[in-house]
Amino acid sequence: MRTTITVTTHQREELVDITEPIRRAVAEAEVSDGLLALYVQGATAAIMIQENWDASVPRDAVNLLQQLVPRGVWEHDAQDGNGDSHLKAGLIGPSETIPIINGKMGLSTWQGIFLCEFDGPRRERTVVCTLN
């Protein structure tokens, strides 16, 4: 089964918790045991599994990446000013795989799924969800 979810982002760099729409997609698929593959389309976005209980954790992730990959110093910036966005997305990666166990995602209590926006805001980011 394959479905997509669409996410709107509001800042240039942010982590958007997409756990609930993914959870609904898994429930609708009625897959008891298997794998969920998530893939975000776009060269300046990524998918991350991280704690979603404390809002400081996603903010810390954004802050760390801003320190590690500063804006405005990359060769690609001469093209369209988002060299850092491409590098951050490449470091995190566009996909995650999550086990489906007894019809539910095998995340721990504190884990959530985040779309990582590095070149926003965007009206639409598409996440492809495939269940096998």
Side-chain angles (χ1 to χ4, degrees):
M1 192 234 39
R2 184 182 70 235
T3 190
T4 60
I5 65 162
T6 302
V7 180
T8 300
T9 64
H10 303 284
Q11 299 176 39
R12 182 177 190 275
E13 297 180 57
E14 66 177 315
L15 270 59
V16 179
D17 190 339
I18 59 171
T19 309
E20 286 312 310
I22 301 295
R23 195 180 315 276
R24 287 191 296 272
V26 169
E28 289 171 11
E30 298 180 352
V31 172
S32 177
D33 293 289
L35 291 175
L36 167 64
L38 300 173
Y39 178 84
V40 63
Q41 296 176 318
T44 57
I47 297 287
M48 178 188 289
I49 295 175
Q50 190 51 265
E51 179 181 314
N52 68 346
W53 180 79
D54 183 345
S56 69
V57 175
R59 286 194 307 269
D60 284 344
V62 169
N63 290 333
L64 171 68
L65 289 167
Q66 287 172 339
Q67 290 176 34
L68 291 174
V69 185
R71 193 173 178 186
V73 298
W74 307 102
E75 190 173 332
H76 182 71
D77 289 332
Q79 306 304 313
D80 54 11
N82 67 352
D84 65 308
S85 302
H86 288 281
L87 296 171
K88 290 168 186 168
L91 285 171
I92 303 303
S95 63
E96 289 284 354
T97 303
I98 301 167
I100 304 300
I101 304 165
N102 297 323
K104 297 181 180 180
M105 291 187 291
L107 298 173
S108 73
T109 301
W110 307 112
Q111 286 181 311
I113 306 162
F114 291 89
L115 177 132
C116 305
E117 175 63 75
F118 298 120
D119 194 28
R122 297 287 178 114
R123 183 177 49 84
E124 185 173 291
R125 286 287 193 184
T126 302
V127 178
V128 180
C129 312
T130 306
L131 278 151
N132 293 317

